[in-house]
mmCIF file of all heavy atoms in Angstrom:
data_model
loop_
_atom_site.group_PDB
_atom_site.id
_atom_site.type_symbol
_atom_site.label_atom_id
_atom_site.label_comp_id
_atom_site.label_asym_id
_atom_site.label_seq_id
_atom_site.Cartn_x
_atom_site.Cartn_y
_atom_site.Cartn_z
ATOM 1 N N ALA J 20 -36.276 -23.807 -5.619
ATOM 2 C CA ALA J 20 -37.481 -22.986 -5.506
ATOM 3 C C ALA J 20 -37.207 -21.830 -4.556
ATOM 4 O O ALA J 20 -36.602 -22.028 -3.496
ATOM 5 C CB ALA J 20 -38.640 -23.823 -5.000
ATOM 6 N N PHE J 21 -37.626 -20.640 -4.936
ATOM 7 C CA PHE J 21 -37.504 -19.458 -4.078
ATOM 8 C C PHE J 21 -38.902 -18.941 -3.765
ATOM 9 O O PHE J 21 -39.803 -18.991 -4.611
ATOM 10 C CB PHE J 21 -36.712 -18.352 -4.781
ATOM 11 C CG PHE J 21 -35.244 -18.643 -4.936
ATOM 12 C CD1 PHE J 21 -34.779 -19.388 -6.007
ATOM 13 C CD2 PHE J 21 -34.327 -18.172 -4.006
ATOM 14 C CE1 PHE J 21 -33.428 -19.664 -6.164
ATOM 15 C CE2 PHE J 21 -32.967 -18.435 -4.154
ATOM 16 C CZ PHE J 21 -32.519 -19.187 -5.231
ATOM 17 N N GLN J 53 -50.450 -13.463 -6.201
ATOM 18 C CA GLN J 53 -50.959 -12.904 -7.451
ATOM 19 C C GLN J 53 -50.615 -11.427 -7.600
ATOM 20 O O GLN J 53 -50.170 -10.983 -8.663
ATOM 21 C CB GLN J 53 -52.485 -13.075 -7.499
ATOM 22 C CG GLN J 53 -53.159 -12.424 -8.698
ATOM 23 C CD GLN J 53 -52.934 -13.177 -9.995
ATOM 24 O OE1 GLN J 53 -52.871 -14.393 -10.001
ATOM 25 N NE2 GLN J 53 -52.807 -12.455 -11.088
ATOM 26 N N VAL J 119 -46.830 -15.041 2.300
ATOM 27 C CA VAL J 119 -46.981 -15.945 1.155
ATOM 28 C C VAL J 119 -46.088 -17.174 1.288
ATOM 29 O O VAL J 119 -46.342 -18.221 0.692
ATOM 30 C CB VAL J 119 -46.678 -15.205 -0.165
ATOM 31 C CG1 VAL J 119 -45.185 -14.908 -0.311
ATOM 32 C CG2 VAL J 119 -47.176 -16.007 -1.366
ATOM 33 N N VAL J 123 -46.063 -22.341 1.237
ATOM 34 C CA VAL J 123 -45.031 -22.966 0.407
ATOM 35 C C VAL J 123 -44.123 -23.850 1.260
ATOM 36 O O VAL J 123 -43.795 -24.983 0.893
ATOM 37 C CB VAL J 123 -44.191 -21.894 -0.335
ATOM 38 C CG1 VAL J 123 -43.234 -22.565 -1.319
ATOM 39 C CG2 VAL J 123 -45.082 -20.904 -1.069
ATOM 40 N N LYS J 156 -33.265 -25.158 8.521
ATOM 41 C CA LYS J 156 -32.393 -24.120 9.058
ATOM 42 C C LYS J 156 -33.026 -22.756 8.889
ATOM 43 O O LYS J 156 -33.822 -22.523 7.976
ATOM 44 C CB LYS J 156 -31.056 -24.113 8.306
ATOM 45 C CG LYS J 156 -30.048 -25.159 8.757
ATOM 46 C CD LYS J 156 -29.292 -24.681 9.990
ATOM 47 C CE LYS J 156 -28.161 -25.648 10.336
ATOM 48 N NZ LYS J 156 -27.439 -25.195 11.530
ATOM 49 N N TYR J 167 -33.270 -15.534 19.951
ATOM 50 C CA TYR J 167 -34.713 -15.778 19.862
ATOM 51 C C TYR J 167 -35.042 -17.104 19.166
ATOM 52 O O TYR J 167 -36.213 -17.412 18.965
ATOM 53 C CB TYR J 167 -35.396 -14.647 19.082
ATOM 54 C CG TYR J 167 -35.188 -13.269 19.667
ATOM 55 C CD1 TYR J 167 -34.137 -12.457 19.231
ATOM 56 C CD2 TYR J 167 -36.038 -12.778 20.656
ATOM 57 C CE1 TYR J 167 -33.937 -11.195 19.763
ATOM 58 C CE2 TYR J 167 -35.844 -11.515 21.189
ATOM 59 C CZ TYR J 167 -34.790 -10.725 20.739
ATOM 60 O OH TYR J 167 -34.602 -9.474 21.270
ATOM 61 N N ALA J 173 -30.486 -22.481 13.958
ATOM 62 C CA ALA J 173 -30.205 -21.095 13.575
ATOM 63 C C ALA J 173 -28.719 -20.855 13.325
ATOM 64 O O ALA J 173 -27.865 -21.309 14.084
ATOM 65 C CB ALA J 173 -30.693 -20.148 14.660
ATOM 66 N N PHE J 198 -25.432 19.466 -7.473
ATOM 67 C CA PHE J 198 -24.874 19.881 -6.187
ATOM 68 C C PHE J 198 -23.378 20.136 -6.324
ATOM 69 O O PHE J 198 -22.731 19.708 -7.286
ATOM 70 C CB PHE J 198 -25.109 18.808 -5.117
ATOM 71 C CG PHE J 198 -26.532 18.730 -4.615
ATOM 72 C CD1 PHE J 198 -26.909 17.708 -3.744
ATOM 73 C CD2 PHE J 198 -27.502 19.658 -4.983
ATOM 74 C CE1 PHE J 198 -28.208 17.625 -3.263
ATOM 75 C CE2 PHE J 198 -28.796 19.581 -4.506
ATOM 76 C CZ PHE J 198 -29.146 18.563 -3.651
ATOM 77 N N SER J 211 -40.594 3.110 0.222
ATOM 78 C CA SER J 211 -41.197 3.154 -1.105
ATOM 79 C C SER J 211 -42.494 3.951 -1.139
ATOM 80 O O SER J 211 -42.823 4.573 -2.143
ATOM 81 C CB SER J 211 -41.453 1.736 -1.613
ATOM 82 O OG SER J 211 -42.262 1.015 -0.694
ATOM 83 N N ASP J 226 -34.957 25.559 5.909
ATOM 84 C CA ASP J 226 -34.042 26.702 5.973
ATOM 85 C C ASP J 226 -32.837 26.387 6.841
ATOM 86 O O ASP J 226 -31.691 26.664 6.467
ATOM 87 C CB ASP J 226 -34.765 27.940 6.510
ATOM 88 C CG ASP J 226 -35.771 28.508 5.523
ATOM 89 O OD1 ASP J 226 -35.632 28.221 4.321
ATOM 90 O OD2 ASP J 226 -36.694 29.223 5.953
ATOM 91 N N LEU J 229 -30.546 23.528 5.277
ATOM 92 C CA LEU J 229 -29.770 23.935 4.102
ATOM 93 C C LEU J 229 -28.529 24.747 4.465
ATOM 94 O O LEU J 229 -27.645 24.941 3.620
ATOM 95 C CB LEU J 229 -30.652 24.721 3.132
ATOM 96 C CG LEU J 229 -31.669 23.878 2.343
ATOM 97 C CD1 LEU J 229 -32.629 24.765 1.571
ATOM 98 C CD2 LEU J 229 -30.949 22.921 1.394
ATOM 99 N N PHE J 256 -37.127 13.606 -5.470
ATOM 100 C CA PHE J 256 -37.492 12.515 -6.368
ATOM 101 C C PHE J 256 -38.580 11.703 -5.667
ATOM 102 O O PHE J 256 -38.519 11.527 -4.448
ATOM 103 C CB PHE J 256 -36.313 11.574 -6.649
ATOM 104 C CG PHE J 256 -35.101 12.220 -7.254
ATOM 105 C CD1 PHE J 256 -34.058 12.663 -6.451
ATOM 106 C CD2 PHE J 256 -34.991 12.363 -8.625
ATOM 107 C CE1 PHE J 256 -32.926 13.240 -6.999
ATOM 108 C CE2 PHE J 256 -33.854 12.939 -9.195
ATOM 109 C CZ PHE J 256 -32.825 13.375 -8.376
ATOM 110 N N SER J 277 -35.823 2.096 8.930
ATOM 111 C CA SER J 277 -34.803 1.182 9.426
ATOM 112 C C SER J 277 -35.078 -0.266 9.062
ATOM 113 O O SER J 277 -34.917 -1.174 9.871
ATOM 114 C CB SER J 277 -34.628 1.333 10.942
ATOM 115 O OG SER J 277 -35.864 1.284 11.619
ATOM 116 N N ALA J 310 -33.499 -0.313 14.667
ATOM 117 C CA ALA J 310 -32.922 1.006 14.923
ATOM 118 C C ALA J 310 -32.228 1.047 16.281
ATOM 119 O O ALA J 310 -31.118 1.582 16.407
ATOM 120 C CB ALA J 310 -34.016 2.068 14.852
ATOM 121 N N ASN J 312 -30.954 -1.447 17.900
ATOM 122 C CA ASN J 312 -29.753 -2.280 17.838
ATOM 123 C C ASN J 312 -28.599 -1.515 17.197
ATOM 124 O O ASN J 312 -27.467 -1.528 17.709
ATOM 125 C CB ASN J 312 -30.057 -3.552 17.049
ATOM 126 C CG ASN J 312 -28.870 -4.482 16.946
ATOM 127 O OD1 ASN J 312 -28.057 -4.374 16.038
ATOM 128 N ND2 ASN J 312 -28.767 -5.404 17.894
ATOM 129 N N ASP J 317 -23.588 2.242 18.089
ATOM 130 C CA ASP J 317 -23.075 3.564 17.722
ATOM 131 C C ASP J 317 -22.856 3.719 16.224
ATOM 132 O O ASP J 317 -21.976 4.451 15.781
ATOM 133 C CB ASP J 317 -21.773 3.875 18.475
ATOM 134 C CG ASP J 317 -21.586 5.368 18.700
ATOM 135 O OD1 ASP J 317 -22.592 6.101 18.641
ATOM 136 O OD2 ASP J 317 -20.444 5.809 18.915
ATOM 137 N N SER J 328 -39.889 15.576 15.562
ATOM 138 C CA SER J 328 -40.205 17.005 15.468
ATOM 139 C C SER J 328 -39.035 17.699 14.796
ATOM 140 O O SER J 328 -37.950 17.122 14.642
ATOM 141 C CB SER J 328 -40.434 17.605 16.861
ATOM 142 O OG SER J 328 -39.216 17.592 17.609
ATOM 143 N N MET J 350 -18.312 1.987 12.541
ATOM 144 C CA MET J 350 -18.773 1.285 11.345
ATOM 145 C C MET J 350 -17.658 0.442 10.722
ATOM 146 O O MET J 350 -17.911 -0.631 10.169
ATOM 147 C CB MET J 350 -19.298 2.292 10.315
ATOM 148 C CG MET J 350 -20.636 2.912 10.693
ATOM 149 S SD MET J 350 -21.162 4.118 9.450
ATOM 150 C CE MET J 350 -22.941 4.069 9.679
#
Side-chain angles (χ1 to χ4, degrees):
F21 289 85
Q53 175 74 35
V119 72
V123 187
K156 279 278 187 180
Y167 302 93
F198 286 173
S211 56
D226 289 339
L229 286 171
F256 302 94
S277 50
N312 181 272
D317 209 21
S328 67
M350 288 178 154

